[in-house]
């Protein structure tokens, strides 16, 4: 079943003061120092839900989950987000070939062990959703309570991969975050037609940070080499066998109305293979939904509450 809502995209205002998130670090198997953020639940709200592990997209970082984390934190949930190696505040890898799903999977598992997470849910955006599908096979329904996939499925449209590859790692710095926001609008305006100038600047803040001389995106530009291998003749990875491992685990699929990566047809096939799948189309957004608006946040909360 597919549902829609019509609330415009915008970061929601803080209603109450939230405890500041705690940063933590853990070591990868090959010695990198990796970074995560832990939003502890509001102790005045009595709920008994597993923590939510948030996994970002290819070049993204923990800041993508600030709004949804603060919302869920106020509802009494613990929310944890990870920076992959080479992204956010995690160390860059001197060997760019290590920016790969299997190695990042080892890093995620090491974080789960470091945090001593016995049972948890997952919110995976784009690449993070691929990790979630792989983790379903590794951990199973005994450890994973529920999975929310944000604009990702077992079939990836190569047109979107080529679009991302055309800019990934190319322009890393800008005179200001406002200029970065203008650049984002020029690239993604058709997918996010309702964002205001302030929204675009807010999105820029999620992707980068101020430095003494400029505003710089927070990922290793060598990450672009991982997609440079995908030319027009490259085959689309077959992730359907991996998706089958999710079947015992409750699943919510978010799809941006204007997404060029996740199609309606793929969502339909996912619901056929996984009868318990819930689908939500996020209007006026593309790849990937920003998770800023309260209707989307509430839908994720209700999904987690029902299935955790």
């Amino acid at each position: 079943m597919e549902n829609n809502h019509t609330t415009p995209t915008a970061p929601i205002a803080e209603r109450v003061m939230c405890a500041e998130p705690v940063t933590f670090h853990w070591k990868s198997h090959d010695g990198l120092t990796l970074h995560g953020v832990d939003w502890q639940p509001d102790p005045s709200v009595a709920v008994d839900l597993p923590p939510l592990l948030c996994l970002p997209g290819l070049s993204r970082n923990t800041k993508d989950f600030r709004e949804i984390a603060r919302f869920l934190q106020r509802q009494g949930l613990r929310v944890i987000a990870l920076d992959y190696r080479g992204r956010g505040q995690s160390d860059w890898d001197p060997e760019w070939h290590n920016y790969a799903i299997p190695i990042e999977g080892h890093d995620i598992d090491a974080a789960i062990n470091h945090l001593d997470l016995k049972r948890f849910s997952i919110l995976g955006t784009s690449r993070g959703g691929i990790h979630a599908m792989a983790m379903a096979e590794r951990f199973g329904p005994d450890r994973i309570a529920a999975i929310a996939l944000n604009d990702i499925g077992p079939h990836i449209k190569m047109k979107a991969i080529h679009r991302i590859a055309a800019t990934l790692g190319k322009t890393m710095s800008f005179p200001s975050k406002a200029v970065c926001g203008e650049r984002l609008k020029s690239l993604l305006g058709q997918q996010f037609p309702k964002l205001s100038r302030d929204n675009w600047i807010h999105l820029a803040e999620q992707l980068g940070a101020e430095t003494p001389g400029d505003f710089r995106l927070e990922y290793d530009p060598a990450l672009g080499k991982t997609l440079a291998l995908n030319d027009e003749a490259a085959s689309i990875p077959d992730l359907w066998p991996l998706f089958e491992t999710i079947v015992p685990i409750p699943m919510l699929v978010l799809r941006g109305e204007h997404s060029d990566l996740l199609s309606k047809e793929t969502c339909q096939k996912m619901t056929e293979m996984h009868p318990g799948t819930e689908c939500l189309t996020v209007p006026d957004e593309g790849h990937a939904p920003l998770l800023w608006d309260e209707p989307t946040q509430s839908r994720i909360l209700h999904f987690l509450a029902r299935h955790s």
Side-chain angles (χ1 to χ4, degrees):
M1 180 177 181
E2 188 162 337
N3 295 283
N4 299 270
H5 60 68
T6 57
T7 301
T9 297
I12 60 175
E14 294 293 325
R15 295 181 181 83
V16 295
M17 291 296 293
C18 292
E20 288 298 315
V22 177
T23 61
F24 64 92
H25 298 87
W26 77 102
K27 286 288 187 179
S28 69
H29 69 281
D30 50 356
L32 298 181
T33 298
L34 306 178
H35 168 267
V37 181
D38 191 342
W39 288 264
Q40 291 291 323
D42 183 341
S44 68
V45 182
V47 299
D48 185 21
L49 298 179
L52 178 66
L53 182 64
C54 296
L55 304 175
L58 175 63
S59 62
R60 309 296 280 263
N61 61 73
T62 60
K63 291 188 289 185
D64 270 357
F65 299 105
R66 287 183 302 190
E67 273 71 29
I68 181 67
R70 288 167 179 164
F71 173 83
L72 294 175
Q73 179 186 38
R74 292 194 298 271
Q75 312 307 317
L77 272 74
R78 180 187 181 188
V79 182
I80 301 158
L82 306 181
D83 280 337
Y84 308 132
R85 59 177 62 204
R87 287 80 142 188
Q89 300 302 308
S90 288
D91 283 351
W92 291 7
D93 195 314
E95 176 48 72
W96 66 267
H97 288 95
N98 288 336
Y99 296 137
I101 293 288
I103 292 178
E104 292 168 7
H106 290 309
D107 295 342
I108 293 168
D109 293 356
I112 291 170
N113 290 333
H114 172 79
L115 296 166
D116 195 26
L117 298 181
K118 304 301 184 185
R119 184 166 168 81
F120 52 92
S121 297
I122 305 173
L123 170 58
T125 295
S126 194
R127 187 182 187 89
I130 297 176
H131 278 300
M133 288 187 274
M135 291 168 69
E137 184 175 31
R138 297 200 301 274
F139 291 94
D142 291 340
R143 297 284 301 278
I144 301 176
I147 292 176
L149 300 177
N150 186 18
D151 213 65
I152 188 68
H155 179 74
I156 300 171
K157 299 175 73 174
M158 288 304 295
K159 179 181 179 181
I161 299 299
H162 296 148
R163 172 182 60 78
I164 296 168
T167 60
L168 189 66
K170 301 296 193 299
T171 303
M172 297 298 299
S173 64
F174 303 85
S176 68
K177 62 184 178 183
V179 174
C180 181
E182 292 171 1
R183 173 63 172 165
L184 292 172
K185 182 178 180 180
S186 71
L187 295 172
L188 300 173
Q190 289 187 333
Q191 294 198 58
F192 296 89
K194 296 295 181 67
L195 293 192
S196 66
R197 181 177 182 274
D198 286 345
N199 291 153
W200 287 112
I201 293 175
H202 185 77
L203 181 57
E205 290 172 339
Q206 291 183 184
L207 275 66
E210 301 277 4
T211 70
D214 58 10
F215 182 85
R216 187 168 294 272
L217 300 182
E218 291 186 293
Y219 67 87
D220 182 352
L223 193 63
K225 296 178 181 179
T226 65
L227 291 189
L229 304 177
N230 292 284
D231 58 24
E232 294 294 334
S235 61
I236 298 174
D238 181 10
L239 299 178
W240 288 108
L242 187 63
F243 176 74
E244 291 176 0
T245 64
I246 293 185
V247 170
I249 301 173
M251 182 172 59
L252 170 67
V253 180
L254 308 174
R255 178 183 178 271
E257 178 186 14
H258 304 302
S259 175
D260 61 351
L261 188 143
L262 179 62
S263 68
K264 293 180 181 179
E265 293 75 18
T266 297
C267 286
Q268 178 62 36
K269 185 174 179 181
M270 292 167 74
T271 60
E272 293 170 357
M273 291 183 64
H274 190 314
T277 297
E278 302 175 31
C279 293
L280 171 67
T281 296
V282 182
D284 300 317
E285 298 196 14
H287 182 75
L290 302 168
L291 311 178
W292 291 349
D293 62 288
E294 192 166 7
T296 298
Q297 295 173 350
S298 294
R299 181 62 183 278
I300 292 172
L301 171 64
H302 294 155
F303 166 74
L304 296 175
R306 283 198 308 275
H307 297 293
S308 295

